[in-house]
Amino acid sequence: MRSILNCTAVELSEKIKAGEYTAVEAMEAVFERIGEKEQEYHCYITLDRESALNRAKEVQRKIEAKELTGPLAGVPVAVKDNLCTKGVLTSCASKILENFVPAYSATAVEHLEKAGAVMVGKANMDEFAMGSTTETSYYGVTRNPVNPAHVPGGSSGGSAAAVALQECFMALGSDTGGSIRQPASYCGVVGLKPTYGMVSRYGLVSYASSLDQIGPITKNVADAAYLLEAIASYDKKDSTSMPDADRDFTGALVEDVTGMRIGIPRDYFGAGLEKEVETAVLAAAEVLKDAGAVVEEFDLGMAEYAIPAYYTIATAEASSNLERFDGIKYGYRTKGCVGLHNMYKKTRSEGFGEEVKRRIMLGSFVLSSGYYDAYYLKALRTKALIRKAFDEAFSKFDLILGPVAPSTAPKLGESLADPLKMYLGDIYTISVNLAGLPGISVPCGKDGNGLPIGLQLIGDCFAEKKLIRAAYTFEKQTVAKRL
Amino acid sequence: MGYGADRESGKGGTMANVIDDATIEYVGILAKLELSDEEKEAAKKDMGRMLDYIDQLNELDTSGVEPMSHVLPVRNVFREDVVTNGDGREETLLNAPERKEDMFVVPKTFE
């Protein structure tokens, strides 16, 4: 059973189709692992062994009948708990959705089912994806797979930790300001945030709709390409999904970066960046240079304005998106309350956690009459300037290379005491969401305490293939060097 | 305007944005949140500090820059007003905090 868990998602599916393993054995191995690890690490909010095994049996039958032949058939997958799953609790790690069972599945989840992937359970996260540590979950923290005294990152911390701990073979996360890339970096796995509009957001519980995007968290770059290819689509149900994007990502799994122009923004290597992270990321740039890329430093600009712009735009959108949680049609409702408005207020005050309330308050303020122009519109103008800075960069470079986060995973309990400080940790990931770009986090080393460090590659809109090609080449080169 | 973030000149380390009680009350109404006195004090501090930080954006000259809500050219998508998802009434009502037959029950709205 041990060796089955060491397979990547694509390897596992190949072995299942070849008859070496069954989808049921894969799921049983995952639950055996969960039995050993879950109590300490807590990657999941919802697990149902019996229905997972039943679905695995059904998929196995279809694989044997050659009805399912795809590259991810039979693979156990974890799904972040802000993605709607028909008939399965979808809590967004919040008390206010403690009993919400969706009547439909997210489009990305439906694509997974069609591909024959089998859901293990719903992964833990920061409440409504607001946080960078998975500590704001109402259902308890997830721990870092490398060192349980540290956080796994967030907000997709449960997804990233589950992949690293082999409590699944791959996972879906969502990324609004770094929520796929940063936990992937902290847990030592691969995380890809696609271009805005690449994956349908239908059925993703919205945090900041103009920034949210669903993406894969996997053991390696190839799995990320296959999983992204499975979930990416134009969807009539999401008016922001893009009709004619190139979605053949696995075609980019080529070990070749000859002549690829890669820019390193000097702005990303200033004060606040841990030395060990800097060293590992610059060493990664050398690997790509040795493999034939043309690597050059440049000034990107606008880096320091991304966080204030983000926390204005994201909280504004959140305050509007989260108005729907009012205790009327679904979710938690306070008990014994007189009057409709009192019921709204009490339900929301009891149902939301501290960080969610903090962001709803700030968002309500920046949208309020008298402040809308000074804060919200100012942030949207700043966003235009950030986008322009990237446009200029991508006129010279194919990709931008930098760190994912300024440090490795902090200790549990260190971040929430000072929200602003926690927000500053998003400095290298956030501008990617504001500009709608794709970004990938790939493991590139460890610090002195053995905690993983992530390399971030950023591409222009719809340049996922360049991103995947460079990340794949880097991964191949580093694996070759370790041998 | 009766509420506001009063701006004092930023002396070393002090908050430039001071959120007063009236502002927190007003934001509480907009946000439909009921905060305890303790939560209100914390919210005043948090919000003041975040606004100080966000004020960095004022260093940027954005005159003549159009506010960008979407990075890609997205347009409203129209479709015929035809039901395609069938009757999900029972599944939908299963999530109701309180129901009466095929209706959601809500607290009294009018006297």
Side-chain angles (χ1 to χ4, degrees), chain A residues 376-423:
Chain A
Y376 184 64
L377 288 186
K378 182 77 184 182
L380 290 184
R381 291 190 167 94
T382 305
K383 178 180 170 175
L385 294 178
I386 289 169
R387 174 70 217 194
K388 194 165 157 251
F390 277 110
D391 282 343
E392 279 163 22
F394 289 119
S395 70
K396 289 178 287 193
F397 302 107
D398 295 303
L399 295 176
I400 293 171
L401 177 152
V404 176
S407 70
T408 52
K411 283 200 170 122
L412 284 161
E414 277 182 354
S415 306
L416 293 187
D418 188 349
L420 181 56
K421 196 177 156 211
M422 178 174 81
Y423 301 162

Side-chain angles (χ1 to χ4, degrees), chain A residues 35-97:
Chain A
E36 292 165 13
K37 298 284 175 188
E38 185 60 6
Q39 202 172 358
E40 180 169 13
Y41 292 92
H42 189 234
C43 303
Y44 291 97
I45 291 175
T46 301
L47 281 166
D48 182 351
R49 187 172 189 270
E50 202 182 312
S51 54
L53 284 170
N54 284 338
R55 285 192 302 272
K57 269 179 210 155
E58 178 62 14
V59 163
Q60 179 62 29
R61 188 192 62 72
K62 286 184 178 169
I63 290 170
E64 284 168 18
K66 308 272 186 244
E67 286 168 37
L68 278 173
T69 54
L72 297 175
V75 178
V77 60
V79 175
K80 189 176 180 178
D81 207 30
N82 59 352
L83 285 155
C84 285
T85 42
K86 188 176 180 173
V88 180
L89 179 74
T90 298
S91 77
C92 289
S94 182
K95 180 184 176 182
I96 212 160
L97 289 177

Side-chain angles (χ1 to χ4, degrees), chain A residues 101 196 305 327-330 333 346 348-349 357-358 361 369 371 375 378 380-381 383 418 424 434, chain B residues 3-5 7 31-32 34 39 46 49 53 55 57 59-60 62 65 68-69 71-72 95 97 105:
Chain A
V101 179
Y196 187 80
Y305 300 111
I328 297 290
K329 297 193 273 313
Y330 48 80
R333 180 190 288 188
K346 272 215 151 46
R348 290 164 60 80
S349 302
K357 287 188 212 173
R358 184 181 287 130
M361 295 281 285
S369 125
Y371 295 97
Y375 286 105
K378 182 77 184 182
L380 290 184
R381 291 190 167 94
K383 178 180 170 175
D418 188 349
L424 296 180
L434 288 170
Chain B
Y3 61 93
R7 276 143 206 282
K32 291 194 180 68
E34 189 176 74
E39 283 177 315
D46 281 346
R49 197 153 165 249
Y53 181 67
D55 280 342
L57 297 181
E59 295 166 15
L60 285 171
T62 52
V65 180
M68 179 185 261
S69 27
V71 286
L72 299 168
N95 276 308
V105 175

Side-chain angles (χ1 to χ4, degrees), chain A residues 229-264:
Chain A
E229 199 161 290
I231 61 170
S233 71
Y234 167 64
D235 183 6
K236 279 184 184 162
K237 292 173 185 162
D238 173 5
S239 59
T240 62
S241 78
M242 295 308 280
D244 17 69
D246 178 359
R247 291 182 169 94
D248 160 34
F249 305 111
T250 52
L253 293 169
V254 179
E255 192 180 344
D256 181 15
V257 289
T258 314
M260 198 180 258
R261 299 161 304 162
I262 297 177
I264 303 180

